[in-house]
Amino acid sequence: MNQNSKRTSHLGRKVNGLVIFLLIISIITVVGLCISMFYNLIMDMMEARCINGTDMLAYELEHNDSQDKTLLLDELKERMDCEFTIFEGDVRTYTTVEQNGERLVGTKLSEDLADIILTQGKSYIGQAEIMGTDHLCSYVPITDTEGNVTGLIFSGISVANVRKQINRTVFMACAAGGILLLFSGVVMSLFISHSVSKPLSRLTALAQTMEEGNLGLRQTGTVTSNIHSHDEIGLLAHIFENTILRLRNYIGEISTILESISDGNLTAGTTQDYVGDFTSIKSSLDDILGKLNHTMSQIAESTEHVSNGSRQMSIGAQALSQGAVEQSSAVEELEGTIKTIAQQVKQTAENAEDTSRRVEAVNEQLMESNEKMQEMILAMNEINESSNEISNIIKTIENISQQTNILALNSSVEAARAGEAGKGFAVVAKEVRELAGKSEEASQSTNSLIERSIHAVQYGTKIANETAAQIASVTEGTNEAAMTINQIADAARLQAQAVTQIQDRIIQISNVVQTNSATAQESAATSQQLSSQAGLLQSLIEMFHLNP
């Protein structure tokens, strides 16, 4: 809970308040019991004093019968601090009890007490009201020699005086209890503050530091609570300090490994001794590093193959382009020759011998063109096979890109489970996923270009085959023309028609050769682009340092 959002209630204050409350209850209970016992004790003592007073008065009356009884009662009152009265019958004859400065002589005893003492002849000890004032009394009957009750004697103490003494004692007990309570509260507060409140405050501050994620990674020293007690709080503080130190070491190592991965160094590994549930983090880190090393190694190997294949494809495409240019030049020369033959058909008869030589030259050129056309067909077949191999390699790169993307996705999920500690690795996983996406896009683009090249090569192969067939046909016709050169005059019209047909075919061959030349140049450009992309991918892979 945030300290700023809600005020913290200190445990030490709660304990201190509870202890003081229990102490107050205990002292009040003890003082109450003491006061109750003291009250009973005082009442018993007062009753005993009253009984001793009547006994003392009876003794004095028995042994000093001639002494002035009023003086005797005053002396006894001064000595025992009691009121004394001598009754004759139920009338007060001698007494120390005064009202308005006069002795209550001549007043009568109450009927209830008179019945108990005078009639029944019993003694009475208890409280009685004398002229509106409560007294603690002792009444003892006086008998004659025959045993008849002739009067009684009285010894009593004013209840107001007794209460005054009790109140004085209660005040002193309460004062002593209050002083004791104050002293105990101060001592208890100091003890709880020193042994509980301050250590708990330091421990709470240490826990808040952990909650804020401050484990002292940027500090040279360790985070401590400065609690050195040997009780449970000290043990808890020691556990907190060890936990912070262990988390600091774990997070420091994880940060170092993630920084190494971000720098392309995949040779780093865990060295700390992970315990408990932290072993899953160690296993995850080791698995991630192993899978990254394995994947990057496969990508590097595949990149090397793609680079070699693209270089070979580029060389073949350039050779094809050069051959197509040469074929175009040869076809143009052939077209010029055919035009010359067409112009000289009218002079066939006169130039039969010259025509024969030219026909032989044309035959040789056609044979050479046929051989070159066969070579071109073979080159196109090789390009077709190389394109198929490159297409298979690109499919392999696409599969590797998909596996890398899946691995990056799993890494992002594991980083999200790790919380704050996995943010750095989530960034690396995102970069790897983007790199895999770019590789997949490049491979798809290259695959599309290769497929177009394959279609163009297939189309060129078809045209080349047709051209080869036409050249073979032309060669056969030229041979026949050489055999029947002596009949040229008669077959001039037929030869003119044949030459016209040959000229049309040569134009078609020229168009096909130009198309093949353009296709070969496009294939060369595509292969160069593929080689450039393979070099870029290889340079990206070389940024990573892999385990052997």
Side-chain angles (χ1 to χ4, degrees), residues 123-141:
S123 298
Y124 174 78
I125 300 173
Q127 292 188 9
E129 184 178 349
I130 301 174
M131 303 306 294
T133 303
D134 291 333
H135 284 73
L136 186 61
C137 307
S138 175
Y139 290 94
V140 178

Side-chain angles (χ1 to χ4, degrees), residues 295 298-299 302 396-405:
T295 302
Q298 289 183 341
I299 292 175
S302 299
T396 303
I397 293 175
E398 289 179 351
N399 292 331
I400 292 172
S401 300
Q402 292 177 359
Q403 292 178 0
T404 305
N405 196 7

Side-chain angles (χ1 to χ4, degrees), residues 343-357:
Q343 292 176 358
Q344 294 177 355
V345 167
K346 295 179 182 181
Q347 300 177 0
T348 303
E350 301 172 350
N351 300 322
E353 187 177 358
D354 183 64
T355 302
S356 178
R357 290 194 299 268

Side-chain angles (χ1 to χ4, degrees), residues 326-365:
E326 292 177 355
Q327 288 176 358
S328 178
S329 178
V331 169
E332 289 179 357
E333 293 177 359
L334 181 61
E335 185 178 1
T337 304
I338 294 299
K339 287 182 180 180
T340 303
I341 293 173
Q343 292 176 358
Q344 294 177 355
V345 167
K346 295 179 182 181
Q347 300 177 0
T348 303
E350 301 172 350
N351 300 322
E353 187 177 358
D354 183 64
T355 302
S356 178
R357 290 194 299 268
R358 290 184 181 275
V359 168
E360 290 176 357
V362 169
N363 189 20
E364 291 177 356
Q365 291 178 355

